[in-house]
Amino acid sequence: MKINFSTKVSQDYLSVKNGFDQTLFTKLSPPFPPVKLQRFDGSEIGDIVSLELNFLLFRQRWTSEITDSQTGDSEYFFVDEGVELPFFLKKWKHKHRIIKEGNHSTIRDEVEFDAGSGLLSLLLYPALYLQFAYRKPIYKKVFA
């Protein structure tokens, strides 16, 4: 299943690229489930990001590896792929794109996920979509 979510921000794409750091990652974490960042290497190929999701009655680890990262004349992107996922996900691939638009830019999240069954993926879709919708005002504020 796929989710695509775009947010226009006021800063140029290279400034936005430089703002994709541990501080931003922490701000983007939704209120539920609470997230404890355990490791954040960055957004270059081979970097690892690992966190613990607290679902109150149980905790789940989510670890992703950055598998691609490129900066061009009009776009920067990096891709994180899940290597250790919560039990309800079998596959996770998230391409973070920052696209130049004059002196502004668009942050585009392109996500592919699979829960192992079509029905479960369909049931997860609204919750995951809301997680990305939650990011929109944060992106706009941070990159104003």
Side-chain angles (χ1 to χ4, degrees):
M1 188 147 285
K2 294 182 181 185
I3 296 173
N4 293 315
F5 207 88
S6 295
T7 305
K8 292 185 186 233
V9 296
S10 297
Q11 292 185 20
D12 69 276
Y13 82 113
L14 292 176
S15 295
V16 176
K17 171 192 174 186
N18 292 332
F20 265 71
D21 57 15
Q22 184 172 339
T23 300
L24 177 64
F25 186 85
T26 302
K27 288 179 182 177
L28 294 174
S29 295
F32 188 84
V35 174
K36 180 179 178 185
L37 185 61
Q38 297 188 324
R39 178 175 171 181
F40 183 91
D41 295 347
S43 55
E44 298 299 322
I45 295 173
D47 286 349
I48 300 292
V49 176
S50 186
L51 39 110
E52 181 183 82
L53 306 175
N54 183 350
F55 291 97
L56 304 178
L57 298 176
F58 63 95
R59 298 172 193 263
Q60 292 281 287
R61 181 183 300 276
W62 185 322
T63 302
S64 290
E65 179 180 358
I66 307 305
T67 58
D68 198 0
S69 178
Q70 296 180 28
T71 304
D73 292 336
S74 61
E75 179 177 344
Y76 164 71
F77 74 85
F78 66 97
V79 177
D80 72 83
E81 295 191 51
V83 294
E84 183 180 359
L85 295 169
F87 72 90
F88 49 84
L89 285 173
K90 303 299 178 215
K91 176 187 171 194
W92 179 266
K93 184 176 183 180
H94 180 188
K95 185 174 187 177
H96 309 252
R97 297 176 65 199
I98 304 168
I99 304 159
K100 179 180 180 178
E101 293 186 5
N103 294 330
H104 298 52
S105 51
T106 295
I107 300 169
R108 183 165 169 86
D109 292 291
E110 299 174 355
V111 175
E112 295 178 45
F113 71 95
D114 184 5
S117 85
L119 179 60
L120 186 53
S121 292
L122 195 59
L123 291 171
L124 280 174
Y125 184 92
L128 291 173
Y129 185 87
L130 288 172
Q131 300 287 340
F132 287 96
Y134 176 81
R135 294 176 171 210
K136 192 171 192 124
I138 297 167
Y139 282 148
K140 286 188 169 290
K141 182 178 179 182
V142 169
F143 300 114

